[in-house]
PDB file of all heavy atoms in Angstrom:
ATOM      1  N   MET A 226      25.363 -41.220  -8.168  1.00 96.00           N
ATOM      2  CA  MET A 226      25.751 -39.986  -7.490  1.00 96.00           C
ATOM      3  C   MET A 226      26.269 -40.282  -6.084  1.00 96.00           C
ATOM      4  O   MET A 226      27.187 -39.622  -5.597  1.00 96.00           O
ATOM      5  CB  MET A 226      24.556 -39.029  -7.402  1.00 96.00           C
ATOM      6  CG  MET A 226      24.874 -37.706  -6.715  1.00 96.00           C
ATOM      7  SD  MET A 226      23.424 -36.647  -6.525  1.00 96.00           S
ATOM      8  CE  MET A 226      22.547 -37.521  -5.236  1.00 96.00           C
ATOM      9  N   SER A 279      25.955 -45.168   7.169  1.00 98.00           N
ATOM     10  CA  SER A 279      24.700 -45.445   7.843  1.00 98.00           C
ATOM     11  C   SER A 279      24.776 -46.781   8.569  1.00 98.00           C
ATOM     12  O   SER A 279      25.836 -47.369   8.717  1.00 98.00           O
ATOM     13  CB  SER A 279      23.562 -45.434   6.802  1.00 98.00           C
ATOM     14  OG  SER A 279      22.313 -45.670   7.404  1.00 98.00           O
ATOM     15  N   LEU A 285      29.065 -47.112  15.999  1.00 97.00           N
ATOM     16  CA  LEU A 285      29.488 -48.303  16.736  1.00 97.00           C
ATOM     17  C   LEU A 285      30.667 -48.997  16.058  1.00 97.00           C
ATOM     18  O   LEU A 285      31.311 -49.855  16.678  1.00 97.00           O
ATOM     19  CB  LEU A 285      28.318 -49.285  16.865  1.00 97.00           C
ATOM     20  CG  LEU A 285      27.137 -48.797  17.709  1.00 97.00           C
ATOM     21  CD1 LEU A 285      26.037 -49.856  17.742  1.00 97.00           C
ATOM     22  CD2 LEU A 285      27.574 -48.435  19.120  1.00 97.00           C
ATOM     23  N   GLY A 300      38.710 -37.313  -1.927  1.00 98.00           N
ATOM     24  CA  GLY A 300      37.975 -36.161  -2.434  1.00 98.00           C
ATOM     25  C   GLY A 300      36.478 -36.339  -2.500  1.00 98.00           C
ATOM     26  O   GLY A 300      35.795 -35.603  -3.231  1.00 98.00           O
ATOM     27  N   LEU A 305      27.317 -38.479   7.744  1.00 98.00           N
ATOM     28  CA  LEU A 305      27.094 -39.443   8.810  1.00 98.00           C
ATOM     29  C   LEU A 305      25.614 -39.442   9.175  1.00 98.00           C
ATOM     30  O   LEU A 305      25.057 -38.403   9.550  1.00 98.00           O
ATOM     31  CB  LEU A 305      27.923 -39.091  10.043  1.00 98.00           C
ATOM     32  CG  LEU A 305      27.692 -39.949  11.286  1.00 98.00           C
ATOM     33  CD1 LEU A 305      28.102 -41.393  11.032  1.00 98.00           C
ATOM     34  CD2 LEU A 305      28.431 -39.367  12.487  1.00 98.00           C
ATOM     35  N   THR A 336       9.062 -35.102  22.607  1.00 98.00           N
ATOM     36  CA  THR A 336       8.955 -35.256  24.058  1.00 98.00           C
ATOM     37  C   THR A 336       9.812 -36.434  24.495  1.00 98.00           C
ATOM     38  O   THR A 336       9.980 -37.404  23.747  1.00 98.00           O
ATOM     39  CB  THR A 336       7.500 -35.504  24.497  1.00 98.00           C
ATOM     40  OG1 THR A 336       7.071 -36.802  24.054  1.00 98.00           O
ATOM     41  CG2 THR A 336       6.575 -34.434  23.926  1.00 98.00           C
ATOM     42  N   ALA A 340       9.752 -40.085  22.730  1.00 98.00           N
ATOM     43  CA  ALA A 340      10.988 -40.536  22.091  1.00 98.00           C
ATOM     44  C   ALA A 340      11.441 -41.879  22.630  1.00 98.00           C
ATOM     45  O   ALA A 340      11.870 -42.764  21.876  1.00 98.00           O
ATOM     46  CB  ALA A 340      12.081 -39.488  22.277  1.00 98.00           C
ATOM     47  N   ASP A 341      11.342 -42.058  23.955  1.00 97.00           N
ATOM     48  CA  ASP A 341      11.749 -43.330  24.554  1.00 97.00           C
ATOM     49  C   ASP A 341      10.811 -44.461  24.147  1.00 97.00           C
ATOM     50  O   ASP A 341      11.246 -45.590  23.899  1.00 97.00           O
ATOM     51  CB  ASP A 341      11.782 -43.212  26.079  1.00 97.00           C
ATOM     52  CG  ASP A 341      12.948 -42.365  26.578  1.00 97.00           C
ATOM     53  OD1 ASP A 341      13.767 -41.930  25.743  1.00 97.00           O
ATOM     54  OD2 ASP A 341      13.039 -42.133  27.792  1.00 97.00           O
ATOM     55  N   ASN A 377       3.265 -40.004  16.649  1.00 98.00           N
ATOM     56  CA  ASN A 377       4.033 -38.797  17.006  1.00 98.00           C
ATOM     57  C   ASN A 377       3.674 -37.591  16.153  1.00 98.00           C
ATOM     58  O   ASN A 377       4.203 -36.494  16.375  1.00 98.00           O
ATOM     59  CB  ASN A 377       5.540 -39.064  16.922  1.00 98.00           C
ATOM     60  CG  ASN A 377       6.026 -39.303  15.502  1.00 98.00           C
ATOM     61  OD1 ASN A 377       5.256 -39.237  14.530  1.00 98.00           O
ATOM     62  ND2 ASN A 377       7.307 -39.587  15.355  1.00 98.00           N
ATOM     63  N   PRO A 382       4.726 -29.789  15.168  1.00 98.00           N
ATOM     64  CA  PRO A 382       5.154 -28.398  15.424  1.00 98.00           C
ATOM     65  C   PRO A 382       6.326 -28.315  16.398  1.00 98.00           C
ATOM     66  O   PRO A 382       7.248 -27.508  16.207  1.00 98.00           O
ATOM     67  CB  PRO A 382       3.890 -27.749  16.007  1.00 98.00           C
ATOM     68  CG  PRO A 382       2.765 -28.548  15.432  1.00 98.00           C
ATOM     69  CD  PRO A 382       3.274 -29.959  15.404  1.00 98.00           C
ATOM     70  N   ALA A 431       5.246 -23.698   8.086  1.00 98.00           N
ATOM     71  CA  ALA A 431       6.590 -23.582   8.662  1.00 98.00           C
ATOM     72  C   ALA A 431       7.606 -23.169   7.601  1.00 98.00           C
ATOM     73  O   ALA A 431       8.558 -22.426   7.899  1.00 98.00           O
ATOM     74  CB  ALA A 431       7.000 -24.893   9.305  1.00 98.00           C
ATOM     75  N   ARG A 434       7.209 -19.503   7.357  1.00 97.00           N
ATOM     76  CA  ARG A 434       7.616 -18.827   8.599  1.00 97.00           C
ATOM     77  C   ARG A 434       9.128 -18.818   8.774  1.00 97.00           C
ATOM     78  O   ARG A 434       9.702 -17.843   9.275  1.00 97.00           O
ATOM     79  CB  ARG A 434       6.949 -19.527   9.786  1.00 97.00           C
ATOM     80  CG  ARG A 434       7.151 -18.841  11.111  1.00 97.00           C
ATOM     81  CD  ARG A 434       6.214 -19.410  12.173  1.00 97.00           C
ATOM     82  NE  ARG A 434       6.463 -20.819  12.477  1.00 97.00           N
ATOM     83  CZ  ARG A 434       5.674 -21.823  12.090  1.00 97.00           C
ATOM     84  NH1 ARG A 434       4.592 -21.573  11.352  1.00 97.00           N
ATOM     85  NH2 ARG A 434       5.960 -23.068  12.438  1.00 97.00           N
ATOM     86  N   CYS A 533       9.605 -52.436  -4.545  1.00 94.00           N
ATOM     87  CA  CYS A 533       9.417 -53.143  -3.276  1.00 94.00           C
ATOM     88  C   CYS A 533       8.007 -52.909  -2.735  1.00 94.00           C
ATOM     89  O   CYS A 533       7.386 -53.809  -2.161  1.00 94.00           O
ATOM     90  CB  CYS A 533      10.459 -52.694  -2.262  1.00 94.00           C
ATOM     91  SG  CYS A 533      12.166 -52.886  -2.848  1.00 94.00           S
TER      92      CYS A 533
END
Side-chain angles (χ1 to χ4, degrees):
M226 180 184 72
S279 181
L285 295 179
L305 175 64
T336 69
D341 288 356
N377 67 2
R434 187 167 64 253
C533 305

